[in-house]
């Protein structure tokens, strides 16, 4: 079945794009002739452009991109560590008002919010910690931990007042607030001080 040719030279260039198992056989996606040539030419041109942008021979494109990805991952790791250390320093220097510490950062991931909150709660004078991080969309991720407050019961009230979403347990709640920093700080003081 399929297209028949008188001799194989009629097919010309053949490029197999995909080969995947299908039922009891194999399904191939391929290009032949002028379409295969145009596709390969486009790939070659793209390779040349990337080679020029990276200043490496085309034969080294894959290893150069892997190196760039590793460097970018290392830089991201260093940046996250700096952001974490900054938030940790803010929690250590923050005013403690009736056992409550409220701290704001920017671009802090949830794991680091949790780490900084736990570290702050190790201090005897800290009973409740609220850490918030400004996100790219203007909202604030929040994580609140407490040694003494029933946070689960307070979560709904906070989310209603601060256009928030989230939940958790009596010891920890987390989510997102969609209000400005000053309003968040004011509401947190009011609700978490009782």
């Amino acid at each position: 079945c399929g297209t028949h040719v008188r001799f194989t030279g009629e097919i010309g260039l053949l490029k197999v794009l995909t080969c995947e198992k299908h039922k009891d056989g194999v399904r191939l996606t391929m290009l032949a002739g002028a379409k295969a040539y145009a596709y390969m030419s486009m790939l070659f041109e793209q390779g040349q452009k990337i080679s020029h942008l990276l200043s490496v021979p085309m034969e080294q494109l894959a290893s150069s991109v892997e190196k760039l990805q590793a460097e970018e991952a290392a830089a991201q790791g260093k940046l996250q560590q700096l952001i974490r250390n900054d938030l940790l320093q803010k929690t250590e220097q923050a005013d403690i008002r009736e056992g409550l510490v409220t701290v704001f950062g920017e671009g802090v991931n949830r794991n680091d919010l949790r780490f900084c909150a736990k570290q702050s709660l190790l201090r005897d004078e800290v009973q409740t910690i609220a850490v918030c991080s400004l996100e790219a969309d203007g909202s604030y991720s929040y994580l609140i931990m407490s040694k003494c407050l029933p946070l689960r019961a307070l979560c709904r009230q906070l989310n209603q007042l601060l256009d928030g979403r989230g939940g958790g347990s009596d010891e920890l709640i987390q989510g997102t607030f969609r209000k400005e920093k000053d309003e968040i700080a004011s509401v947190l003081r009011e609700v978490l001080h009782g």
Side-chain angles (χ1 to χ4, degrees), residues 64-93:
S64 294
V65 170
E66 288 170 354
K67 181 181 174 188
L68 284 174
Q69 287 177 326
E71 289 171 356
E72 197 254 343
Q76 282 295 323
K78 287 179 182 177
L79 176 61
Q80 282 304 312
Q81 186 63 44
L82 289 171
I83 291 171
R84 178 186 197 171
N85 290 343
D86 179 58
L87 187 66
L88 196 55
Q89 185 176 13
K90 286 178 180 178
T91 61
E92 291 168 356
Q93 296 173 350

Side-chain angles (χ1 to χ4, degrees), residues 18 21-22 24 60 69 97 100 105 114-115 125 133 139 156 169 180 192:
T18 63
K21 187 175 179 176
H22 180 70
D24 291 333
Q60 296 174 11
Q69 287 177 326
R97 296 182 185 176
L100 173 65
R114 183 184 300 253
F115 176 80
E125 64 273 20
S133 176
S139 67
R156 175 174 282 169
S169 66
E180 296 297 319
L192 298 177

Side-chain angles (χ1 to χ4, degrees), residues 41-110:
S41 293
M42 182 270 304
L43 289 181
F44 183 75
E45 288 175 23
Q46 289 293 316
Q48 281 185 316
K49 288 178 183 176
I50 295 168
S51 172
H52 179 73
L53 289 169
L54 298 178
S55 299
V56 297
M58 283 181 56
E59 300 82 25
Q60 296 174 11
L61 286 179
S63 61
S64 294
V65 170
E66 288 170 354
K67 181 181 174 188
L68 284 174
Q69 287 177 326
E71 289 171 356
E72 197 254 343
Q76 282 295 323
K78 287 179 182 177
L79 176 61
Q80 282 304 312
Q81 186 63 44
L82 289 171
I83 291 171
R84 178 186 197 171
N85 290 343
D86 179 58
L87 187 66
L88 196 55
Q89 185 176 13
K90 286 178 180 178
T91 61
E92 291 168 356
Q93 296 173 350
D95 290 334
I96 302 170
R97 296 182 185 176
E98 299 175 27
L100 173 65
V101 173
T102 305
V103 179
F104 288 85
E106 185 173 338
V108 185
N109 66 45
R110 295 234 183 235

Side-chain angles (χ1 to χ4, degrees), residues 144-171:
I144 303 170
M145 296 180 77
S146 182
K147 297 175 187 173
C148 58
L149 294 175
L151 292 179
R152 183 183 296 195
L154 298 173
C155 187
R156 175 174 282 169
Q157 181 183 2
L158 287 171
N159 285 335
Q160 286 175 345
L161 292 170
L162 296 170
D163 191 19
R165 294 189 64 157
S169 66
D170 278 341
E171 296 81 29

